[in-house]
Amino acid sequence: MNSPDLPFAPAAERNRVPILEALAPRLAAGSRVLEIGSGTGQHAVAFSRQLQGVHWQPTELPENLPGLAARVVAEGGPGLCPPVALDVASGPWPAGPFEAAYTANTTHIMGWAAVCAMVAGVGDALAPGGAWFIYGPFIRAGHPTAESNERFDAMLREQDPRQGLRELEALESEAERHQMRLEEVLELPANNLFVVLRKRNPAS
Ligand SMILES: C[S@@+](CC[C@H](N)C(=O)[O-])C[C@H]1O[C@@H](n2cnc3c(N)ncnc32)[C@H](O)[C@@H]1O
């Protein structure tokens, strides 16, 4: 039950179970996880409770931090760190390294320049061999785009021409420039993907 005083996103309630099912077997016990664009904090609270031994670091744009902080105070547990301000376009980034990073529904909201800044920042923040889990809708070469995603993309671009669904291949190329390679792509409900990028580990 959500407290009426806390920000709430119905989508985050719908998608948290399928995301958790994808995340849980891929996240090493005791991982420090950097979340970007935590929004209402619903995922941060749910995942830090369910994923044993995890240290979850939520972040948000400074203007959206108070709502997130209120949820962490009201519902946070031992695995959930106090949220910190992070605008991926300007930093500063929380001190790493992190064994994992996570972001949901941000790549189509940020402009492409900010997405590139996020890729660079995550590339720096991750420990060698660390994983970046990205959830959201994407356009994917060789896969027809669902009608609902086409409509969503058009709506976003009309509202702000910098927004819009990203091509997964463009994200992959950008990640490659920052020592991360595409490891897995899972199809989740409602035409969303769960993408796993892995930072290279020179020692292995
Ligand atoms: C659609 S919401 C997703 C929130 C949450 N991850 C979820 O799935 O419910 C997109 C989030 O990205 C954040 N965001 C947008 N631009 C950002 C930037 N430049 N740096 C960090 N976060 C940003 C917004 O503040 C917003 O909370």
Side-chain angles (χ1 to χ4, degrees):
M1 192 64 177
N2 192 63
S3 156
D5 300 331
L6 298 175
F8 180 75
E13 216 49 33
R14 286 194 299 273
N15 59 29
R16 71 182 161 83
V17 172
I19 296 175
L20 180 63
E21 285 171 358
L23 201 51
R26 292 173 175 80
L27 195 64
S31 290
R32 288 163 293 177
V33 184
L34 174 63
E35 182 182 9
I36 298 142
S38 303
T40 62
Q42 287 160 260
H43 286 168
V45 166
F47 300 163
S48 62
R49 280 186 185 165
Q50 302 280 332
L51 299 164
Q52 290 290 318
V54 84
H55 301 271
W56 195 276
Q57 176 61 70
T59 70
E60 246 308 332
L61 289 176
E63 59 267 35
N64 295 335
L65 200 57
L68 171 62
R71 181 176 296 281
V72 171
V73 168
E75 300 181 350
L80 187 55
C81 308
V84 296
L86 173 63
D87 181 338
V88 296
S90 54
W93 284 69
F98 294 87
E99 285 75 35
Y102 168 77
T103 196
N105 284 324
T106 54
T107 56
H108 55 277
I109 299 297
M110 296 173 185
W112 179 245
V115 173
C116 294
M118 173 163 69
V119 175
V122 171
D124 280 346
L126 276 182
W132 185 13
F133 306 104
I134 306 176
Y135 168 85
F138 286 92
I139 294 165
R140 210 176 160 195
H143 295 252
T145 304
E147 233 177 74
S148 57
N149 277 350
E150 277 179 4
R151 280 198 302 275
F152 185 40
D153 182 51
M155 189 272 283
L156 287 167
R157 288 177 195 281
E158 198 180 312
Q159 137 187 318
D160 183 339
R162 290 168 300 183
Q163 297 187 338
L165 269 58
R166 306 300 167 199
E167 290 176 5
L168 185 58
E169 294 68 26
L171 184 73
E172 182 182 0
S173 310
E174 205 52 37
E176 283 285 347
R177 291 186 347 102
H178 296 279
Q179 308 308 314
M180 292 175 285
R181 66 177 170 76
L182 184 66
E183 187 172 83
E184 268 186 288
V185 179
L186 279 68
E187 293 185 7
L188 263 55
N191 303 304
N192 288 291
L193 298 181
F194 183 88
V195 177
V196 184
L197 295 164
R198 177 83 52 193
K199 184 167 171 177
R200 291 181 204 290
N201 187 353
S204 65

